[in-house]
Amino acid sequence: MSSPLRLGIAGLGTVGAGVVKIVRQKAALLAERSGRPIEISTVSARSRGKDRGVNLGSYGWEDDPVALATRDDVDVFVELMGGEDGPAKAAVEAALSAGKDVVTANKALLAHHGQALAQLAEDKGAVLRFEAAVAGGIPVIKALTEGLAANDVTRVMGVMNGTCNYILTRMEDAGLSYDEAFAEADGLGYLEADPDLDVGGIDAGHKLSLLAAIAYGTQVDFGAVELEGIGRVSIEDIRQAGDMGYRIKLLGVSRLTGRGLEQSMAPCLVPATSPLGQLVGGTNMVVIEGDQVGQIVLRGAGAGEGPTASAVMGDVLDIARGTRLSTFGQPATSLKRATPAKATTPAAYYLRVGLMDKPGALAKIATVLGEAGVSINRMRQYDHAADTAPVLIVTHKTTRAALDEALAGMGATGVLSGDPVALRIEEV
Ligand code: NAP
Ligand code: HSE
């Protein structure tokens, strides 16, 4: 058997401890599958004395992850600290500069610095892999870079933040308010240290930007992702969308069109009976559409010790086997800079409008929609006791520009009793 592949692991939290457990508990399996033993030479974390539920006694220790990354007894640097800058970036750069292969689970780092790091890896003849950074245990990077490599990808979409899906599911199942469901997710330890990364859609936006780069052969452009979190999703919308046959999901959608690269991460409606509509709790789902393969649906655990460590180890085994793939599936120099485009692909929309309950109010709204060229597909007015009539409208496919014109027109009618809610309905 060949010489051992020696790992240096920086970060011994949820994911890092999971990786140590797999290396310790599955040594024989890993060696059989990769053709060489996988060993840990050195580890690093902030606090050396912390009990991590794993035996670290035989490994070397470095306080400084940058020093770890460049040690002679480290063949692969495994970055599991997190953070878009700081020690994670410094240590990954140091490892790549020293020609060492790197495996990371850090979507923030890759979303912000992916192009430069991929370029550095190639310049130094090193490999940079990040399967665990997107959708946890789902091998979606592998699917896109390898299994689907012969396809022109037409759309990538999905639910990529388990915390948001958990919150939306609990609002629907248990009738909890957003604040109550958020508190429950917090109590279960689901939220990132900065919860806005989850509920603001940022974490999921990072993941979408990485998938888009591979899918379309473009440079990662997280800054161009149109981002909206779930903070404004109300229990009324969840109930009334359900009544119309839909579920609300924090949905990422990317497409490369003639106008440029559309990347959007925002609450959307999907048919309740579709695979995305059926996705409940903290699970993730990624849907990929290719010109040859049609639609592929990948579903699984998007986070947690076992699933995320599984993805990290998949990358480590590839390196042990000698597989040397480019970070984004093609040489970094060949990745094009895409023109960012607003998501203007026509779609149906869900509108919830509170109308003053007086003669002609509904007619005014219908007229404004017609004048903007927005056609009504379905409409429902609910029985009501107060002076405000809740009206739901599902439009035919229209552009966002036409819808915005109609929303502005509605505001000028003087018959609204609050701001209308407009949510895109994604065809799946
Ligand atoms: P975590 O539990 O917070 O662990 C972070 C680890 O990094 C800790 O062991 C911490 O040390 C160490 N660390 C932080 N700053 C350090 C520094 N300056 N020097 C040395 N060590 C440092 O985080 P995690 O959940 O395992 O996540 C790790 C990475 O995986 C992140 O990029 C995250 O986005 C990604 N990820 C996580 C999941 C998940 O389910 N958790 C899923 C997908 C991707 P101490 O323990 O001593 O404080
Ligand atoms: N905060 C992320 C989520 C964890 O809720 O999906 C893994 O990226």
Side-chain angles (χ1 to χ4, degrees), residues 385-411:
D387 302 344
T388 297
V391 173
L392 286 193
I393 297 170
V394 172
T395 73
H396 282 293
K397 275 190 181 178
T398 185
T399 61
R400 182 73 216 195
L403 188 83
D404 286 343
E405 185 187 326
L407 291 172
M410 284 183 197

Side-chain angles (χ1 to χ4, degrees), residues 14-66:
T14 305
V15 186
V19 168
V20 174
K21 283 180 195 166
I22 293 180
V23 173
R24 294 181 73 87
Q25 291 164 8
K26 293 178 172 285
L29 178 100
L30 301 178
E32 273 165 27
R33 293 200 171 153
S34 67
R36 61 194 288 198
I38 311 284
E39 295 177 355
I40 296 169
S41 75
T42 313
V43 296
S44 173
R46 269 180 305 221
S47 157
R48 186 166 186 174
K50 201 190 259 185
D51 178 9
R52 302 171 189 282
V54 284
N55 183 359
L56 303 171
S58 56
Y59 310 140
W61 178 273
E62 288 279 0
D63 286 324
D64 177 7
V66 175

